[in-house]
Amino acid sequence: MCDGFNHGALQIAVAQICQAMGWDGLQKSTHDLLTDVLQKYLEEIAKSAHGYCQLYSRTEPNLDDLNRAFQDIGIYLPELEDFVSQMKTKQQQKMQTQPTQDKSKEVQRDL
């Protein structure tokens, strides 16, 4: 049951990422493949962070362990921050244009 919930959450995350990238649609097979890739990717990060946690004789990983795990797979925090800020900017732009489009549709319906 828990695996089904996690898989469902990953499917939603993949769909939101694809939508944020500007994709309008996604084939089921592609969606399933991207979900599996994301799951393996997250598992790899978690295993690496757990390994660093054990290396430093801790029972729970902390942000330093996560940072080292990211570095192991080639993710650097400044690049990740840039990506997140770009996605936020795109979302804000999209939110600002949507109400304008909706109002223009309402005006056209009234005519």
Side-chain angles (χ1 to χ4, degrees):
M1 173 106 174
C2 185
D3 289 335
F5 175 78
N6 292 339
H7 189 72
L10 288 176
Q11 285 180 321
I12 292 170
V14 166
Q16 289 175 340
I17 291 168
C18 292
Q19 188 177 28
M21 290 175 40
W23 292 8
D24 292 328
L26 192 60
Q27 296 272 337
K28 182 178 178 356
S29 59
T30 306
H31 187 233
D32 291 340
L33 177 69
L34 289 173
T35 301
D36 291 343
V37 168
L38 178 61
Q39 180 177 353
K40 296 294 182 190
Y41 195 67
L42 291 174
E43 287 174 359
E44 186 66 29
I45 292 170
K47 286 177 186 176
S48 182
H50 182 70
Y52 282 113
C53 169
Q54 288 182 331
L55 182 66
Y56 293 106
S57 302
R58 289 191 305 272
T59 57
E60 293 184 12
N62 61 24
L63 291 177
D64 291 329
D65 299 326
L66 184 60
N67 184 27
R68 288 183 187 95
F70 278 155
Q71 289 176 354
D72 284 348
I73 59 172
I75 297 174
Y76 298 99
L77 291 181
E79 292 175 358
L80 185 60
E81 289 172 355
D82 288 344
F83 175 77
V84 170
S85 67
Q86 288 174 4
M87 286 294 115
K88 283 183 179 178
T89 303
K90 286 183 181 180
Q91 278 296 88
Q92 290 171 349
Q93 290 173 349
K94 189 175 181 180
M95 290 176 65
Q96 290 174 353
T97 59
Q98 281 180 341
T100 311
Q101 292 172 351
D102 291 340
K103 288 179 183 176
S104 65
K105 289 178 184 177
E106 289 176 12
V107 171
Q108 290 176 354
R109 287 182 198 155
D110 291 339
L111 294 175

